[in-house]
């Protein structure tokens, strides 16, 4: 597979996730994208899914080389928009804060809580105050498309739930897990923020698709979470997740009429959008 800096045809949809998804593309090619914010996690792999151009970016870089707090989220989202992407599907691994959401469950969350610290979380560092709406952090049309794809392929998917994003790379203590669960939150993750917020600042549609790999430590008093177990569960279910994401690509509306597309209306931006 060759790598070029020239994207011959814009991508319409972006997928940020684990390695391997590009293998189902019918005409994959790799492209390097430069951004004002440094290097993205990796090159973009662009191909066709259900007649639509899709750009895939491995969130953690080649060989899962980047820890969650070391990912250049700004470069990743900027690179995707520069390639033409306006809709982003974001499959991710999560821990569960609810016993009924056991390993292997797939959830399409509708809310997020940010418990990260020290990450660069905005594009608007200069040029005055710019405030985007984030009341509903995920794209309504994107969520509908994933749920429709799940129904069409008879995959069980949970509609809704709050995902709390922690700094990592360590897993939560039992006390932290119980605290999160007592607040009514459903999932815990390490990469969903500032990814979702940055997507909104670029007026991108952003939809997470969460695969539960474990019950968080405080939820199951007899067990603790290990990296080995998380990776093993994810590997067992990656084909299901990949099939769902690719089906969702086909289910996404061809035209954007959602609020995400109008997120920057009336705002004076300190930069020109790619």
């Amino acid at each position: 597979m060759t790598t070029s800096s020239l994207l011959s045809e814009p991508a319409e949809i972006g997928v940020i996730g684990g390695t391997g998804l590009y293998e189902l593309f019918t005409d994959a090619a790799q492209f390097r994208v430069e951004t004002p914010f440094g290097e993205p996690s990796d090159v973009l792999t662009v191909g066709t899914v259900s007649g639509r151009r899709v750009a895939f970016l491995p969130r953690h870089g080649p060989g899962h080389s980047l820890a969650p707090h070391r990912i250049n989220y700004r470069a990743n989202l900027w690179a995707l928009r520069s390639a033409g992407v306006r809709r982003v599907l974001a499959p991710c691994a999560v821990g569960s804060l609810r016993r009924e959401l056991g390993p292997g469950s797939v959830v399409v969350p509708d809310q997020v809580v940010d418990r990260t610290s020290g990450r660069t979380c905005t594009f608007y560092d200069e040029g005055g105050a710019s405030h985007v709406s984030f009341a509903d952090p995920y794209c309504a049309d994107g969520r509908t498309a994933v749920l429709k794809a799940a129904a069409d392929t008879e995959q069980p998917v949970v509609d809704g739930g709050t995902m709390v994003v922690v700094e990592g790379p360590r897993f939560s203590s039992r006390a932290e897990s119980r605290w999160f669960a007592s607040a009514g939150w459903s999932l815990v993750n390490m990469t969903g923020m500032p990814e979702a917020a940055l997507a909104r600042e670029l007026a991108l549609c952003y939809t997470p698709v969460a695969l539960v790999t474990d019950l968080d430590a405080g939820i199951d008093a007899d067990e603790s979470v290990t990296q080995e177990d998380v990776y093993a569960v994810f590997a067992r279910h990656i084909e299901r997740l990949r099939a769902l994401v690719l089906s969702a690509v086909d289910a996404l509306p061809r035209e954007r009429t959602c609020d995400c597309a109008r997120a920057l209306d009336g705002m004076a931006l300190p930069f020109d959008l790619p």
Side-chain angles (χ1 to χ4, degrees):
M1 190 180 299
T2 60
T3 301
S4 170
S5 60
L6 298 176
L7 192 64
S8 57
E9 183 180 352
E12 173 192 0
I13 298 164
V15 176
I16 307 176
T19 56
L21 188 68
Y22 61 87
E23 294 171 0
L24 294 186
F25 288 167
T26 58
D27 55 349
Q30 292 185 327
F31 299 90
R32 297 191 183 279
V33 181
E34 295 182 358
T35 86
F37 306 98
E39 293 289 328
S41 294
D42 201 358
V43 297
L44 299 183
T45 300
V46 180
T48 302
V49 176
S50 300
R52 309 179 77 171
R53 296 291 282 173
V54 178
F56 172 71
L57 179 63
R59 182 186 284 116
H60 292 276
H64 209 90
S65 56
L66 296 171
H69 66 296
R70 301 293 294 174
I71 293 170
N72 191 340
Y73 295 96
R74 290 200 298 182
N76 285 353
L77 272 301
W78 192 273
L80 287 172
R81 181 167 175 114
S82 297
V85 167
R86 296 298 181 266
R87 300 182 186 274
V88 176
L89 296 172
C92 59
V94 298
S96 172
L97 299 169
R98 294 166 48 186
R99 285 188 175 276
E100 63 268 28
L101 298 177
S105 300
V106 176
V107 183
V108 185
D110 58 356
Q111 278 295 321
V112 68
V113 173
D114 189 1
R115 292 290 303 170
T116 64
S117 60
R119 301 184 184 188
T120 305
C121 59
T122 182
F123 289 104
Y124 305 144
D125 289 330
E126 300 176 356
S130 300
H131 308 287
V132 297
S133 175
F134 201 59
D136 298 300
Y138 306 134
C139 179
D141 287 354
R143 295 187 68 258
T144 297
V146 175
L147 294 170
K148 180 182 184 302
D152 290 346
T153 57
E154 299 183 344
Q155 280 209 50
V157 169
V158 177
D159 178 5
T162 296
M163 183 166 69
V164 55
V165 185
V166 298
E167 180 67 7
R170 67 170 178 83
F171 294 120
S172 302
S173 70
R174 296 187 193 279
E176 287 169 331
S177 295
R178 292 167 186 150
W179 174 32
F180 299 155
S182 70
W185 305 334
S186 303
L187 309 168
V188 59
N189 167 262
M190 295 182 190
T191 58
M193 289 291 287
E195 200 169 83
L198 292 170
R200 182 60 53 84
E201 288 192 346
L202 294 180
L204 299 175
C205 301
Y206 181 90
T207 308
V209 186
L211 171 64
V212 174
T213 57
D214 58 275
L215 289 176
D216 222 41
I219 310 306
D220 189 340
D222 297 327
E223 298 291 339
S224 61
V225 181
T226 68
Q227 177 174 298
E228 181 181 9
D229 291 342
V230 166
Y231 284 3
V233 173
F234 195 82
R236 286 200 298 271
H237 295 279
I238 185 61
E239 293 299 332
R240 287 178 51 223
L241 185 62
R242 180 163 52 192
L244 177 58
V245 170
L246 295 182
S247 295
V249 166
D250 187 40
L252 285 168
R254 263 52 180 178
E255 295 185 11
R256 289 210 303 165
T257 59
C258 56
D259 291 339
C260 315
R262 299 183 295 273
L264 306 181
D265 287 1
M267 293 178 57
L269 301 182
F271 49 74
D272 293 327
L273 289 174

